[in-house]
Amino acid sequence: MANLNYKELPLKQLISFNKLLQRYEVMAQSDNEYLAKKARRILEAQEPYPELREGFTDVKLLEKNKDLIHFLLQDLFSEVLAENEIKTASLPYDNTIFNSSKRFQKIIEEAGQGSDFVPEMRNMPDDQMYVMACTVILTFYYGLPLDFKRPFFYDIPDANGVMRHYRILYNADFIELLPTEKAKKLSQTDVEELLDNFDNIDLWKEKIPPNSFVSKGFVISNMFDVTVEHSISELKSSLIASDKRDSEGFVDNLQATFQSFFNKASIRAGFMTFNAKTDSFEPVYGAGMDSFVLGNMDVKNCNEILCPDSYKKLLRDNTYFAISDVDRYAEQSEAPLYKNLQQQGIKSAVFAPIADKDNLLGVLELVSTEKNALNSVNANKLQDVMPFIVSAVLRSKAEEENLIDAVIQHECTSVHEAVYWRFQEEAKRFIKEDLEGAQPTFREIVFKDVHPLYGQIDIKNSSDARNVAIQRDLMIQLSTVNKVLEAAWVKNKLPIYEELMFRVNDHMDSIKESLNTNSEQAIFNFVADEIHPVFSHLKKSDSEIANLISSYESSIDMGTDSYYDHRRNYDESVMLINKKLAALIDKKQQNAQAMFPHYFERYKTDGVEHNIYIGDSISGDLPYNPIYLNNLRLWQLQVMCEMENAHYKLKPELPVPLDVASLVLVYNTSLSIRFRMDEKRFDVDGTYNARYEVIKKRIDKSYIKGTNERLTQPGKMVIVYSQKKDELEYLRYVKFLKSKGYFSGKVEIVELEGLQGVSGLKAIRADILYKTADKANKDTYTYEDLMEELKS
């Protein structure tokens, strides 16, 4: 082969060391003089040979410049590791290898009894190679993120003829991809057509023609011997598959798999089934797999063919039985087992019981014509593969995990990752008792002595804003209804239309100033029960009025069966606020969990609330320290300030410009939380601990003592507490976060009016600083400044 690209590919390949040399150009400027000198030597050595940068296809140049190329690649091919690493420098889509480690060279020499052996990539026909190259082009040139990666393997026999398997990992850092004049501009339709037609090679060649790109450079291939892992995988996927045991190819594959697994070409595999009713062994009829124990016998009683030791190990202990020297065993025992093996030229063997829950299903027979090739030592390797031989054991781990998940999801719905381990323990107990025939119940999960943190960012005056939206929608709907009734009255002068208009006006008067609790439902029932039937009649009797009714109906929302414009704006605003704030705290939670695991839940109401519990009982094996609670409190304050900022950046885009107010509750006493099975959620446990829930539910409605001022206010972070040490701790945090630009420095301490069942609470109110990115000379604002800025 004088030139490259003997296979048809979408790209023309040039061997080039340009990107590697660019790395050395950077290294030549290094402050490390040793590295710099080394890089300069390499660059000087290459300089007389510009073709090594520009790229070439003539493979004769590889041999001509062999020593220089080896010099250029010295950092990629460590001489110290050459006997151990399996590595090559090559082109990605053909077999041109121009540098390799000593171990790779030895593997190739042993495989082909010389250096002429050419390894072929497993399961990579030419058409797939073409498509694979196209996916690289789609990803790195057209910018389409395709997951085209798949494991690549070489299957290479060793000097004894045993097939070895090597996993290939490519490093493409030194490849450049360049379009030629043949490269086409692909539309979205073209791309979608390709994605739907992986097997249509003609289509791929039409959209991305041969040689439409240039691949300039080389790849480094690192290979790893995965023969044992490959053998286990092969056994797992095919050994006891009944649909494959009937084929001769399956048997041959099984023999080769065990030969690779034990690294012995002389190994063969057999199988016999066990009939528990008759305590006998039987061959697998029609499977193509012989039994070396039975030989030509169809059925044989276990006691008759086995010796006492082999009988005990296989049938009673369900463990393997190894014979390292068949001739020696035959001299010591008259059991037919050894005579049968001797007659077949077998010198060593291992028999492994295939059992499910102590129920023997059959015996796997591994035999060799070499003495000591199989023995009690290497028989231990079967421990890695026997679970895959038994179909029940094959699926056991996956089934257990799926069953655990199913129990947890059924009994508890979704469970936070920090406490998932505890639910797993309980699910395992549940499954164990179920398997033992008991009637298990999923016990409640309790975490004791945990420290709670609670925070909320509440939409201010949300009830008023919602009522205003409903009021406006109802007024518009009733006004439109009145126009239709007025037109009907003018045309027909029926008193009933006038009476309906009177009632519509009466409803409008009732909500003009404020919306009564029952008004919305009363109006909805009135329109549905009395107005819409009249409209149905009018649509049939008068075309002009029918047009008015059609216009009215087009403004009615199908989901609510009412006018839904202002409410839609309000609901959309609340949804956008909740979505933005929830996404931010969820993202920040990932970092917080990495600091120390804790239980976290957040839920959307008119705003976003969150509960956090941290403590030794939740962290499992990780040792808990109070510093993690202090850290989480600081983190909570910081994140809530960031959520405030996120809201006020979003506010100008909202259909209804709603305000929010933030509150943090500091609870100094640890408590217990219990997972409520009926409610599928955690709640505080015990009467004393319930005080915490009472405070949470009532605190945001509280007032400052002696005033009519609500505690929570836009622009202020409110921190509610009862202990002096909590006050000092949070004042430190506020001072620290002020230095970080989160607070303005304006801080007040207030007392709260007593709530029902709760008294003695105080609060820190700190003014939040808001950041904007569109002002060069002023990038932080107080709440009042920000409101003015948003207005302008």
Side-chain angles (χ1 to χ4, degrees), residues 251 255 269-272 283-284 287-293 295 344 365:
V251 175
Q255 309 284 6
F271 184 81
M272 58 182 176
V284 182
M289 180 177 287
D290 299 325
S291 168
F292 301 101
V293 172
Q344 299 170 70
E365 308 169 1

Side-chain angles (χ1 to χ4, degrees), residues 467-481 504 507-508 511 515-516 519-521 523-524 527 562-564 566-567:
N467 287 341
V468 168
I470 295 171
Q471 184 183 11
R472 290 174 177 174
D473 283 342
L474 290 176
M475 290 291 287
I476 292 171
Q477 183 175 4
L478 292 174
S479 296
T480 309
V481 167
V504 167
H507 279 300
M508 291 175 68
I511 63 171
L515 186 67
N516 187 279
S519 297
E520 181 181 8
Q521 188 60 46
I523 292 172
F524 180 85
V527 171
S562 61
Y563 193 76
Y564 188 60
H566 291 86
R567 276 176 290 178

Side-chain angles (χ1 to χ4, degrees), residues 48-65:
Y49 304 92
E51 64 270 23
L52 297 184
R53 272 188 184 274
E54 296 164 1
F56 57 93
T57 59
D58 187 355
V59 294
K60 293 178 180 177
L61 292 177
L62 292 173
E63 182 63 28
K64 180 181 177 181
N65 299 305

Side-chain angles (χ1 to χ4, degrees), residues 142 184-194 207:
Y142 291 101
K184 294 184 177 182
K185 184 177 181 181
L186 297 184
S187 66
Q188 183 64 29
T189 302
D190 292 330
V191 171
E192 291 172 357
E193 191 175 2
L194 288 173
K207 304 298 183 185

Side-chain angles (χ1 to χ4, degrees), residues 427-654:
K428 288 178 180 178
R429 183 201 60 79
F430 185 100
I431 294 169
K432 182 175 179 292
E433 290 186 4
D434 185 46
L435 293 174
E436 291 173 350
Q439 294 183 342
T441 58
F442 201 95
R443 296 180 302 208
E444 290 182 320
I445 306 294
V446 179
F447 293 101
K448 296 182 178 180
D449 294 324
V450 296
H451 298 274
L453 294 87
Y454 171 75
Q456 68 173 41
I457 295 186
D458 192 38
I459 296 173
K460 289 296 291 180
N461 302 318
S462 57
S463 298
D464 293 342
R466 183 186 291 107
N467 287 341
V468 168
I470 295 171
Q471 184 183 11
R472 290 174 177 174
D473 283 342
L474 290 176
M475 290 291 287
I476 292 171
Q477 183 175 4
L478 292 174
S479 296
T480 309
V481 167
N482 242 356
K483 290 179 182 179
V484 176
L485 292 173
E486 187 175 359
W489 160 250
V490 169
K491 280 205 166 190
N492 301 304
K493 298 297 181 180
L494 292 180
I496 189 62
Y497 297 146
E498 189 176 21
E499 191 269 343
L500 286 173
M501 289 167 59
F502 171 79
R503 293 169 65 189
V504 167
N505 287 323
D506 191 45
H507 279 300
M508 291 175 68
D509 289 339
S510 70
I511 63 171
K512 189 172 293 183
E513 298 300 327
S514 62
L515 186 67
N516 187 279
T517 307
N518 299 320
S519 297
E520 181 181 8
Q521 188 60 46
I523 292 172
F524 180 85
N525 292 338
F526 167 67
V527 171
D529 298 341
E530 301 191 47
I531 298 297
H532 286 170
V534 173
F535 280 9
S536 296
H537 164 71
L538 289 172
K539 281 178 71 174
K540 298 174 184 176
S541 60
D542 191 300
S543 60
E544 185 177 341
I545 294 177
N547 290 334
L548 289 175
I549 295 173
S550 295
S551 177
Y552 161 78
E553 290 175 341
S554 67
S555 68
I556 297 301
D557 178 73
M558 296 293 291
T560 62
D561 202 23
S562 61
Y563 193 76
Y564 188 60
D565 186 42
H566 291 86
R567 276 176 290 178
R568 180 184 293 107
N569 288 340
Y570 172 80
D571 290 342
E572 184 178 346
S573 298
V574 172
M575 183 271 294
L576 289 172
I577 291 171
N578 287 346
K579 184 178 179 181
K580 182 76 172 181
L581 299 185
L584 194 154
I585 196 170
D586 287 347
K587 183 177 180 181
K588 296 291 183 180
Q589 247 296 295
Q590 297 174 9
N591 295 331
Q593 288 293 341
M595 297 175 195
F596 193 80
H598 54 275
Y599 179 79
F600 171 83
E601 66 176 356
R602 65 112 181 101
Y603 38 96
K604 302 172 185 176
T605 52
D606 284 349
V608 175
E609 300 178 43
H610 66 267
N611 287 312
I612 300 174
Y613 301 100
I614 186 171
D616 189 58
S617 59
I618 287 178
S619 60
D621 294 335
L622 288 175
Y624 170 75
N625 188 287
I627 195 173
Y628 294 118
L629 171 61
N630 303 136
N631 181 72
L632 200 56
R633 285 175 167 180
L634 179 58
W635 171 88
Q636 181 189 35
L637 270 186
Q638 182 174 327
V639 169
M640 290 188 68
C641 287
E642 292 174 8
M643 292 169 72
E644 282 264 0
N645 270 272
H647 167 71
Y648 284 107
K649 287 177 183 176
L650 175 69
K651 185 177 177 180
E653 304 170 18
L654 297 175

